[in-house]
Amino acid sequence: MSAETRTDDDLERLELPEARADAGMSTAPAQDDDGAEEIRQPQLGVVGWLRWLWRQLTSMRVALILLFMLSIAATPPTLIPQRPVSPIKVSQYFRDHPTRAKIMDKFQLFDVFASWWFASIYILLFISLAGCIVPRVWAHAKTLLSKPPEAPRNFARLPAYARWETTADPDAVLTAARAALKKRRFRLNPGTGSVSAEKGYARETGNLLFHIALFGILVAFALGSLYSVKGGKIVVEGQSFANVLTQYDDRQFGALVDEDNLEPFGFRLNAVEQTFQATGAKRGEPRSFTSHIESWYGHEGKNKKGTIKVNEPLQVGDTKVFMIATGYAPVVTVRDAKGKIAYSGPTVFLPQDGNRTSTGVIKVPDVSAGLKQLGFDGIFVPSTPIKPDGSFYQDPVRGWVSAFPALLNPALVLSAYEGDLGMDSGVPQNIYALKPDKMTQFKSGDQPWSVALKPGQAVDLPNGAGSLTFEGVKIWANFQVASEPGKGLALVSVVAAIVGLVLSLFVRRRRMWVRAVEGPDGNTVVEVGGLARTEGGGLGDEVQEFVDALRVAAPANSPGTKVKE
């Protein structure tokens, strides 16, 4: 049956296009029942939406937004006191601004780095960088393993192009081209009658290195937040410190730190040496501090003598012990009204000025049954001025102040209280302050009772409450124990980020091709083309420099070969 004699039934039976043109082959928009055009949107589905969200999250724009949000989120700790660092200041803020503090606390503004919203930004940025880096690293690895692309057919369409004729042999021209390109650190891909070359891969390597370094900084921050150990301990001469949780005076530990994460070490403070400038304009300024210790590692470790100085810490595994301050601890013995020794030992006093005038309190709760507890509010003066008659001199305006920070003429000035110290209530107390609300101050006549003692002197307390002896003075040192597992990674990451940034800014990606074929007249036609894979000028000058070098081996028949841009 010929096509000219086919009927409509035959066309329908053969299902030819012309028989079904109105059944789906039309390009006209679909229409609804009212004749209006109906626009059909494709349905993404769950997988499609997830893919779209992933592409948005791993885009450079979202990564920059998250990085900006993280920098903004890290600002409140510079303005608002944080519980892990300054719990006392946080408590004071609640007393001063109770309503505002409650609202701020709901948003975890007093512990920003442990808040859910800071962690959310941090984790999203972490995922965004990881999702951005992995495919780019894979693509860059394939680029590094692949050869430069073959020479294009039409060199004249390239941004930088040069052409000339020479009597040199084509193979000699290509050999000279390969040598010149290698000298300029190009990777080569020799072809038939042409050479392909490319350089500047370090630009993308630097770009990836910068992003990986940012990722490393985030990992280092996470390690520090989870596993860092930082705590302080004041140790008096003759006392010891063991690296366990209960030994710290204050501490800031990572969220995952427990007893098992701490290095099993300790040390005993045998003596503290300190020297001060004795004369001149800088009289009284510290010159050196040295702590003589005996340290041990492990439960059965042998004692090892050593020293800790300022900026010369004790290194134990990944933990360092720094000496950050020193001071004085007067040694006193207190007997109650029945003659029982209720307290004996050194008490830490805190310096209040550059000459180490120090203040502190002595709490004596362990008196005999039926007696009131004792408390002493004191000032320690390491170098007390002396009157001509040999007695202590008290400044009429400033009161008891030291003339020099060293122990030249120490004095302990005390006032005393009796009553309830409040130490049995279970409420934490400041060990450097008394709570006199439930105590009565001893008086001498109408004035508060006070006494100034030299080392070795003793005094009877008023009302037969007992006695106190000033035995002597010991020196204390404040040590900071620190272990920051992410510190090394952070340093390496910062250096890597700088290196990567320099590479990505100053390395230029270039492609260059050279073709040398024999022309119809027997001369060799040489073509050179260049392509810039990154922004920035200088391509024409670079290609011109290469052309000038190549023309030494393949001189042109006519002078003046210039690169066209």
Side-chain angles (χ1 to χ4, degrees):
M1 183 183 295
S2 63
E4 289 78 9
T5 60
R6 289 176 181 168
T7 63
D8 292 340
D9 292 338
D10 295 330
L11 292 174
E12 291 180 4
R13 187 163 53 252
L14 292 172
E15 298 181 350
L16 294 178
E18 54 264 37
R20 297 172 34 242
D22 58 346
M25 298 300 295
S26 174
T27 59
Q31 297 181 348
D32 56 17
D33 297 338
D34 298 331
E37 293 183 358
E38 180 182 358
I39 300 176
R40 297 179 181 177
Q41 297 288 349
Q43 299 298 319
L44 290 178
V46 177
V47 177
W49 278 110
L50 291 176
R51 184 181 294 112
W52 180 84
L53 288 174
W54 175 254
R55 288 176 178 174
Q56 294 299 315
L57 181 60
T58 56
S59 65
M60 183 62 67
R61 178 183 60 185
V62 172
L64 291 174
I65 292 174
L66 290 173
L67 190 61
F68 177 74
M69 292 176 62
L70 189 69
S71 63
I72 296 298
T75 303
T78 63
L79 306 173
I80 303 172
Q82 300 294 292
R83 281 196 178 93
V85 180
S86 305
I88 297 178
K89 291 184 178 180
V90 173
S91 300
Q92 185 64 42
Y93 195 94
F94 269 84
R95 289 191 292 268
D96 296 339
H97 313 283
T99 303
R100 186 193 309 170
K102 290 180 180 179
I103 297 174
M104 294 168 63
D105 198 30
K106 290 182 178 179
F107 291 97
Q108 297 178 283
L109 292 178
F110 296 107
D111 196 0
V112 168
F113 297 119
S115 64
W116 64 266
W117 49 270
F118 186 88
S120 299
I121 299 173
Y122 182 86
I123 293 173
L124 287 175
L125 180 59
F126 196 88
I127 296 173
S128 178
L129 282 176
C132 178
I133 291 172
V134 172
R136 290 182 61 182
V137 168
W138 178 251
H140 186 53
K142 292 195 295 184
T143 301
L144 292 176
L145 295 174
S146 62
K147 296 180 179 180
E150 297 289 342
R153 180 178 301 177
N154 191 350
F155 276 43
R157 293 182 179 179
L158 294 172
Y161 168 68
R163 181 184 183 279
W164 73 94
E165 294 185 5
T166 181
T167 56
D169 184 72
D171 292 338
V173 174
L174 295 178
T175 300
R178 286 191 290 269
L181 290 170
K182 280 186 177 180
K183 185 177 180 180
R184 288 163 174 77
R185 299 186 301 277
F186 278 85
R187 287 179 56 195
L188 305 181
N189 179 21
T192 303
S194 65
V195 175
S196 302
E198 188 169 4
K199 73 172 183 179
Y201 297 96
R203 181 185 182 92
E204 180 62 14
T205 301
N207 201 353
L208 290 174
L209 182 62
F210 178 77
H211 286 80
I212 293 173
L214 290 181
F215 190 81
I217 292 174
L218 291 179
V219 173
F221 181 81
L223 289 175
S225 299
L226 297 175
Y227 295 103
S228 66
V229 173
K230 184 179 291 185
K233 176 64 177 179
I234 293 179
V235 184
V236 181
E237 289 176 322
Q239 296 182 353
S240 300
F241 166 79
N243 191 28
V244 294
L245 296 177
T246 55
Q247 284 277 293
Y248 286 93
D249 295 331
D250 58 86
R251 66 187 188 209
Q252 301 172 35
F253 286 0
L256 299 182
V257 173
D258 55 23
E259 200 81 43
D260 297 332
N261 299 119
L262 300 178
E263 296 277 358
F265 77 93
F267 62 88
R268 172 185 172 85
L269 180 61
N270 293 328
V272 178
E273 292 182 5
Q274 52 185 6
T275 60
F276 303 91
Q277 181 68 32
T279 59
K282 296 184 178 181
R283 182 179 184 273
E285 290 192 4
R287 295 184 61 185
S288 66
F289 298 100
T290 303
S291 293
H292 297 273
I293 64 166
E294 290 184 33
S295 62
W296 61 88
Y297 188 87
H299 300 292
E300 299 180 357
K302 295 182 179 180
N303 287 6
K304 179 181 178 182
K305 291 186 177 181
T307 60
I308 302 177
K309 300 180 180 180
V310 178
N311 297 326
E312 295 183 18
L314 171 68
Q315 179 83 44
V316 183
D318 294 331
T319 303
K320 292 182 179 181
V321 181
F322 298 87
M323 181 173 63
I324 59 177
T326 62
Y328 297 111
V331 182
V332 300
T333 299
V334 180
R335 289 178 170 82
D336 62 19
K338 297 182 179 181
K340 170 193 171 184
I341 297 179
Y343 179 87
S344 180
T347 302
V348 173
F349 277 47
L350 299 181
Q352 303 298 312
D353 57 29
N355 285 330
R356 302 294 181 92
T357 304
S358 306
T359 60
V361 299
I362 302 172
K363 299 181 181 181
V364 187
D366 299 326
V367 295
S368 299
L371 299 180
K372 296 180 179 180
Q373 295 176 337
L374 299 174
F376 300 88
D377 198 350
I379 300 175
F380 177 73
V381 187
S383 295
T384 311
I386 301 296
K387 295 180 181 178
D389 60 1
S391 62
F392 293 131
Y393 171 75
Q394 181 181 7
D395 189 280
V397 177
R398 296 184 297 167
W400 294 100
V401 291
S402 178
F404 194 73
L407 292 172
L408 301 181
N409 188 34
L412 179 62
V413 183
L414 295 173
S415 58
Y417 298 79
E418 65 175 355
D420 182 10
L421 292 170
M423 298 177 65
D424 300 326
S425 64
V427 179
Q429 284 191 6
N430 185 352
I431 63 173
Y432 302 109
L434 283 176
K435 294 183 67 176
D437 51 330
K438 295 183 179 181
M439 305 193 75
T440 302
Q441 186 174 16
F442 287 124
K443 292 188 176 181
S444 176
D446 295 333
Q447 300 297 321
W449 176 86
S450 65
V451 63
L453 301 175
K454 294 181 179 180
Q457 288 185 332
V459 64
D460 292 328
L461 301 179
N463 306 330
S467 64
L468 181 145
T469 303
F470 180 22
E471 307 284 358
V473 183
K474 291 187 176 183
I475 302 175
W476 58 260
N478 189 7
F479 296 98
Q480 184 182 73
V481 181
S483 175
E484 298 173 312
K487 191 174 182 179
L489 177 59
L491 177 61
V492 172
S493 298
V494 169
V495 174
I498 295 174
V499 173
L501 188 62
V502 170
L503 290 176
S504 62
L505 290 177
F506 294 101
V507 175
R508 295 180 179 179
R509 189 84 174 269
R510 296 284 192 258
R511 280 181 181 173
M512 203 170 293
W513 295 273
V514 180
R515 178 182 291 145
V517 295
E518 186 176 347
D521 56 357
N523 291 329
T524 299
V525 179
V526 183
E527 290 182 295
V528 177
L531 177 66
R533 298 294 309 280
T534 55
E535 296 180 358
L539 175 63
D541 295 336
E542 192 170 347
V543 174
Q544 182 67 60
E545 181 184 356
F546 171 73
V547 168
D548 294 339
L550 185 58
R551 285 183 58 198
V552 175
N557 294 338
S558 58
T561 303
K562 296 295 184 182
V563 175
K564 297 180 180 179
E565 295 186 78

